[in-house]
Amino acid sequence: MARRRKNVTIRDVAEDAGVSLQTVSRVINDGPNVRPHLRERVRASIKKMGYVPSLAAQRMSGSRSYILLAINDRERTLADWRERRGTDWVDQMLLGGVLTGAPHGYRMMVELIDTRSEHVERELGAAISALQPDGVILTPPHSENPLITALLEDRGIRFARIGSKARGPGIALTMGDEGAAALATRHLIELGHRRIAMIAGPEQYSLSGWRITGWRAALAEAGLRDEGLLARGDFGFESGLAAARALIARAPRPSAIIASSDQMALATLEAAREAGLAVPDDLSLISFDNTPIVRFTQPPLTAIDQPIAETVSRAVELLIARDEEAGAQGVIEVPAALVPRSSTAAPRAVDRA
Amino acid sequence: MARRRKNVTIRDVAEDAGVSLQTVSRVINDGPNVRPHLRERVRASIKKMGYVPSLAAQRMSGSRSYILLAINDRERTLADWRERRGTDWVDQMLLGGVLTGAPHGYRMMVELIDTRSEHVERELGAAISALQPDGVILTPPHSENPLITALLEDRGIRFARIGSKARGPGIALTMGDEGAAALATRHLIELGHRRIAMIAGPEQYSLSGWRITGWRAALAEAGLRDEGLLARGDFGFESGLAAARALIARAPRPSAIIASSDQMALATLEAAREAGLAVPDDLSLISFDNTPIVRFTQPPLTAIDQPIAETVSRAVELLIARDEEAGAQGVIEVPAALVPRSSTAAPRAVDRA
DNA sequence: ACAAGTCTTGAGAACGCTCTCAAAATGCGC
DNA sequence: GCGCATTTTGAGAGCGTTCTCAAGACTTGT
């Protein structure tokens, strides 16, 4: 299987268009100082010959690599992966990132790094040395890992931290976890709920804290208190089951639960079933993530939709633009929205007491 | 944000180890003809300095790019994406591909291409020119698109076709759709079902045909016929709903349905609900894909698990090994397995008649 | 029409690595 | 210990692009 057709290079195009190689380069990069008729002639040759610049060569000589690197959490096995995530982060990131980067000639690579490994730095360092990306996109929980941000700063690589409100190096983009939690809480309050519980994520994720803050704030607005109706999970199903059982066992029982992930919401559904509670009649439920799963549960779940694709898209724009002020402008917020479905309703009269 | 620490190059390592640049290159590539003590010294320097070869430079000079390109179907919008796929193909491909390629220094990039576009060739051609990957992994429905395979052959790029049994250029890997469908059908026959329906995928996907073949074969083994209990969908929920409704409306009604995707299985669940049929008591249901969704439906679905990660892993191995015989050996099968859950049971006496 | 600028073009070096090929060092048989 | 084959090492070219810098072609003001 030998390489039949040699790749078209910038030299071939230059020859075809009867100009120097440098002029072609200028046209490719939309550089200034090329007379219109020449620019057109070169463009025509490029199209005719189907020329596409080699990423490797561009990286070699130029200062840009046209590669963005997205760092995602990696579970150790496929089973863990499915059990704990169940989200479509990678799919959505690719959709948002690839579509936004493509028109500018940028490609996106995904690197899976296990946060709990002691080799985080080494793995990331190797990826950066090998790829020399123009920008890095960090997702939780890497977004606030100081080892990682320090490494990137040291190497002088621009990066975006998704799901982080902490100021600091890099561009911070958040999906407004505080506001989203408040949104969910208010929705329940408007339906008449007074005892609204929250299953939060692990402390390692700062967004867990923000969601708790938003939940408490919305309760306070309505003159309510959290009544200690807080439980923690690790976003996975099993942890959610334990948390939901504990909350349901409380007396008086909460009439509504906000779960910090779809997996934990599914677990809550299961816990309610065990306890003989109907959703939403006996217990209202709101989920975070809005992955495809929750449209098909019984009942379909009201959920907070995380605009992952949109947020990544925004991050890519800023990284490509090399907007030096983006970081300074503080946190960029792409707000999440509430998608009402059938798992939320007014509480029964007896609960309203 | 200037680049603070300059990248370590092969030259730095050579200097540190007191050898020529070429010797370092040999060590990196596990080349022959380096004396052990020198090899060790160079290895030590590499580790000490944290050197990692630049992918771009390797590609520029050598014949390998250390990049594998995975081609996935791209929906036009996020909504379509979620509606029609709902699968975790990309996640699984990355998991299988990245973990397998990494030890050999290979990276995997994902390219999303819209099959229905007329520009398939142009998009793929551009990606190949830009990246010059050492291998390409095609997923359905691209696996059997002659425009794509011809392009790859013409460029002399090795590729693997996943989910294809057609011999032809490239390495074909299948998850054994025929056998998997037979497995599902036999499972139902053993439970006592006689009227087993199938919701197949679109004709554009050859695996749809193989699943039908397997289904019919298993029926024939048991002395049964298909009774025309076949419907088609496009793997998406809506199409599955229509197909399931049509099958349920048949008289006599099938006592079991095999759906060719999780989304269509969910739709079948919905159609059963509409018709007042209990699953599995009135209707048994088996799904294909086994994405995280089907563990959480009510009831959880018995499903055919597609070993996507394993198959991609195998494909990566073969592409990296540049095993020239792999293609000739015919089709490589990584068989799917049946995961029994609660959506299948013996039919009611009345149906068994 | 001339000097002083600005715009346009191109030549050549550089990026970090592997390839090819030649030179030096080593091993082997006698 | 000698001549030959073999292994080990290194020097230099080349990959496809962009960068830097200098030269040539235009403007403009007078």
Side-chain angles (χ1 to χ4, degrees), chain B residues 25 27 38 42 49 72 89 109 120 122 126 145 196 215 218 234 236 258 297 312 314 322 330-331 345 348:
Chain B
S25 176
V27 173
L38 260 194
V42 171
M49 313 189 70
N72 266 266
W89 264 89
M109 291 199 87
V120 186
R122 201 150 53 73
N145 183 332
I196 300 170
W215 165 65
D234 65 4
I258 299 171
T297 51
V312 170
R314 189 93 189 81
R322 305 183 162 198
V331 180
R348 288 197 170 158

Side-chain angles (χ1 to χ4, degrees), chain A residues 12-325:
Chain A
D12 302 323
V13 175
E15 197 170 328
D16 183 78
V19 298
S20 84
L21 186 160
Q22 179 52 38
T23 300
V24 178
S25 177
R26 286 197 184 92
V27 173
I28 296 166
N29 298 295
D30 286 321
N33 305 337
V34 179
R35 276 196 309 227
H37 81 278
L38 260 194
R39 196 181 286 271
E40 273 324 302
R41 208 162 81 205
V42 171
R43 285 230 174 89
S45 289
I46 288 176
K47 192 164 184 185
K48 185 178 94 187
M49 312 189 72
Y51 167 72
V52 177
S54 152
L55 259 199
Q58 291 191 116
R59 159 58 241 179
M60 278 302 288
S61 63
S63 49
R64 283 180 296 180
S65 66
Y66 292 100
I67 287 180
L68 297 177
L69 183 60
I71 310 290
N72 265 266
D73 195 18
R74 152 153 63 90
E75 302 295 336
R76 291 208 168 85
T77 68
L78 183 58
D80 282 357
W81 180 281
R82 287 182 159 176
E83 162 66 28
R84 295 184 14 108
R85 313 196 344 148
T87 63
D88 48 359
W89 264 89
V90 175
D91 272 350
Q92 286 209 54
M93 288 190 70
L94 276 170
L95 191 63
V98 168
L99 296 188
T100 307
H104 303 276
Y106 274 80
R107 311 245 152 208
M108 190 153 135
M109 291 199 86
V110 176
E111 185 78 14
L112 305 175
I113 294 187
D114 185 344
T115 334
R116 288 155 300 175
S117 152
E118 316 85 58
H119 311 305
V120 186
E121 274 180 287
R122 201 151 52 74
E123 288 191 38
L124 180 58
I128 286 174
S129 296
L131 297 171
Q132 294 166 279
D134 287 345
V136 170
I137 296 174
L138 300 175
T139 59
H142 298 107
S143 307
E144 296 185 340
N145 183 332
L147 264 54
I148 291 182
T149 53
L151 174 64
L152 291 171
E153 273 221 291
D154 183 47
R155 300 277 194 116
I157 295 182
R158 298 183 55 76
F159 61 96
R161 290 178 283 113
I162 300 217
S164 169
K165 286 185 73 165
R167 299 188 62 133
I171 303 166
L173 296 100
T174 169
M175 298 179 252
D177 292 282
E178 186 175 351
L183 197 63
T185 309
R186 269 187 229 114
H187 174 67
L188 292 167
I189 290 172
E190 279 163 21
L191 286 171
H193 292 270
R194 324 296 295 167
R195 293 183 59 77
I196 300 169
M198 153 80 79
I199 302 179
E203 300 189 25
Q204 183 190 9
Y205 289 70
S206 76
L207 57 85
S208 300
W210 291 111
R211 288 182 189 171
I212 293 173
T213 305
W215 164 65
R216 288 214 175 100
L219 287 175
E221 273 171 24
L224 299 170
R225 292 198 326 198
D226 67 26
E227 311 283 355
L229 291 171
L230 174 66
R232 292 252 185 198
D234 65 4
F235 295 135
F237 187 86
E238 290 302 329
S239 73
L241 199 54
R245 281 175 181 153
L247 289 172
I248 288 175
R250 296 285 292 274
R253 173 167 67 60
S255 66
I257 294 181
I258 299 171
S260 268
S261 79
D262 280 348
Q263 295 279 336
M264 297 199 296
L266 293 170
T268 304
L269 215 47
E270 175 62 26
R273 202 173 287 136
E274 286 174 6
L277 300 176
V279 173
D281 294 336
D282 300 316
L283 184 72
S284 280
L285 176 59
I286 297 185
S287 173
F288 265 80
D289 283 355
N290 196 32
T291 53
I293 305 183
V294 299
R295 295 194 300 155
F296 303 113
T297 51
Q298 193 61 355
L301 305 186
T302 295
I304 295 290
D305 184 70
Q306 308 250 48
I308 298 174
E310 293 82 351
T311 307
V312 171
S313 168
R314 190 89 188 84
V316 167
E317 278 174 9
L318 293 171
L319 288 173
I320 290 179
R322 302 181 164 203
D323 186 343
E324 298 300 337
E325 289 168 30

Side-chain angles (χ1 to χ4, degrees), chain A residues 331-350:
Chain A
V331 180
I332 292 162
E333 183 166 330
V334 182
L338 180 81
V339 180
R341 295 204 184 84
S342 321
S343 66
T344 44
R348 288 198 172 161
V350 61

